[in-house]
């Protein structure tokens, strides 16, 4: 069940479907229900976001506070994990301890962890959570925003795969120089040339759909846009609806190639 990336040359046949915050099109993001539905939709991995609560416990939350999820300006970093979970639950949302999500995913799906912090401490706590949940390091993809975290990631989780969530301040080249071979692009920046430029350097490319430049929320995608992405040679795609992505991938693989 290893999430090790596949080469872009295999194209749509091997493009991995990554459920963005679980099956967040059908359930509260980063929730156990979103995980369960992602499994049912035959996603290849589940992506979730990791931050540190005030008591040092890694929790699963995209935002730095609970304003969007619960209408409360409670900061993740200033609040204990149990309080965050209770407040989110009261609002019909989910902010789980990472250990619990790992326990639910154990033996079912690998996890891609979008590490929101640039403090190496978060990697130590992720490693501890994996040990507590008996979740295999080989089933973890660590999404990092700065290349300075690559070395501590390999120290704390040597068997995990590192994904470069690069941006303007940390270009892909800095991650490639650190030995990272899995690189995330945004949909609007993805075409055959962009993918080829990275694969020629030995990289494997995943794409987050939606977001800047698309007019869609992060993770949202149309069938037409997804089909076009699959034709660029990417190896993985992050989507809110893994069932849709699975269907488009199966359809495009089955469709005859036109010369």
């Amino acid at each position: 069940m290893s999430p090790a990336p596949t080469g872009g040359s295999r194209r749509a046949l091997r493009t991995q479907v990554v459920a963005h915050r679980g099956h967040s099109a059908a359930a509260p993001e980063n929730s156990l229900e979103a995980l369960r539905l992602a499994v049912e939709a035959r996603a290849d991995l589940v992506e979730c976001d990791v931050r540190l609560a005030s008591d040092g416990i890694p929790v699963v939350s995209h935002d730095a506070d609970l304003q969007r999820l619960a209408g409360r300006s409670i900061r993740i970093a200033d609040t204990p994990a149990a309080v965050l979970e209770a407040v989110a639950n009261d609002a019909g949302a989910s902010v789980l301890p990472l250990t619990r999500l790992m326990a639910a995913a154990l033996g079912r799906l690998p996890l891609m962890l979008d590490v929101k912090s640039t403090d190496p401490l978060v990697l130590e706590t992720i490693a501890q959570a994996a040990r507590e949940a008996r979740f295999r390091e080989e089933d973890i993809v660590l999404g990092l925003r700065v290349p300075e975290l690559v070395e501590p990631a390999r120290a704390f989780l040597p068997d995990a795969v590192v994904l470069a969530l690069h941006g303007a301040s940390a270009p892909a080249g800095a991650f490639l120089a650190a030995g990272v071979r899995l690189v995330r692009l945004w949909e609007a920046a993805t075409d055959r040339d962009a993918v080829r430029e990275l694969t020629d350097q030995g990289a494997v490319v995943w794409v987050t759909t939606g977001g800047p430049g698309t007019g869609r929320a992060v993770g949202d995608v149309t069938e037409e846009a997804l089909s076009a992405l699959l034709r660029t040679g990417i190896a993985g795609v992050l989507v809110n609806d893994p069932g849709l992505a699975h269907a488009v991938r199966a359809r495009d693989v089955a469709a005859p190639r036109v010369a």
Side-chain angles (χ1 to χ4, degrees):
M1 197 179 63
S2 171
T6 55
S9 61
R10 298 186 183 182
R11 304 164 63 108
L13 180 63
R14 299 299 301 166
T15 302
Q16 297 190 76
V17 174
V18 185
H20 180 247
R21 306 178 202 169
H23 196 324
S24 54
E29 65 184 57
N30 289 323
S31 66
L32 294 180
E33 179 67 2
L35 173 68
R36 183 186 70 80
L37 292 175
V39 173
E40 288 188 359
R42 293 185 287 175
D44 297 302
L45 299 92
V46 163
E47 181 266 359
C48 63
D49 308 282
V50 179
R51 295 180 181 275
L52 282 183
S54 65
D55 49 8
I57 295 174
V59 297
V60 183
S61 175
H62 174 272
D63 297 357
D65 59 45
L66 296 185
Q67 187 63 52
R68 177 175 62 88
L69 291 181
R72 302 279 298 276
S73 57
I74 297 174
R75 287 180 49 81
I76 302 295
D78 297 337
T79 311
V83 175
L84 293 168
E85 182 177 9
V87 172
N89 284 346
D90 287 345
S94 177
V95 177
L96 292 169
L98 177 60
T99 304
R100 192 176 310 164
L101 190 72
M102 284 180 162
L106 183 65
R108 302 169 78 188
L109 279 178
L111 293 176
M112 179 203 145
L113 307 181
D114 183 339
V115 181
K116 295 300 186 183
S117 174
T118 58
D119 184 344
L121 175 63
V122 71
L123 299 169
E124 184 177 3
T125 66
I126 290 171
Q128 177 62 32
R131 287 192 294 271
E132 291 177 5
R134 300 190 177 184
F135 197 82
R136 298 193 326 154
E137 290 183 17
E138 295 90 338
D139 290 330
I140 297 174
V141 175
L142 286 171
L144 305 180
R145 281 174 164 70
V146 294
E148 289 78 13
L149 284 184
V150 173
E151 185 175 347
R154 288 176 174 153
F156 289 119
L157 293 150
D159 294 322
V161 175
V162 175
L163 167 67
L165 298 173
H166 74 89
S169 61
F175 285 98
L176 293 172
V180 175
R181 288 296 172 261
L182 184 58
V183 177
R184 191 286 307 271
L185 294 178
W186 286 99
E187 178 185 340
T190 304
D191 56 27
R192 287 180 182 271
D193 289 341
V195 173
R196 186 179 298 113
E197 181 180 354
L198 287 167
T199 56
D200 284 350
Q201 299 177 71
V204 174
V205 179
W206 285 5
V207 171
T208 298
T209 58
T214 67
R216 290 181 258 109
V218 176
D220 282 351
V221 68
T222 64
E223 290 188 28
E224 181 181 14
L226 184 54
S227 186
L229 282 172
L230 296 181
R231 291 194 297 271
T232 65
I234 61 174
V237 60
L238 280 72
V239 293
N240 293 334
D241 186 345
L244 170 67
H246 192 279
V248 171
R249 180 180 66 179
R251 181 196 68 196
D252 285 9
V253 168
R257 298 291 180 184
V258 178

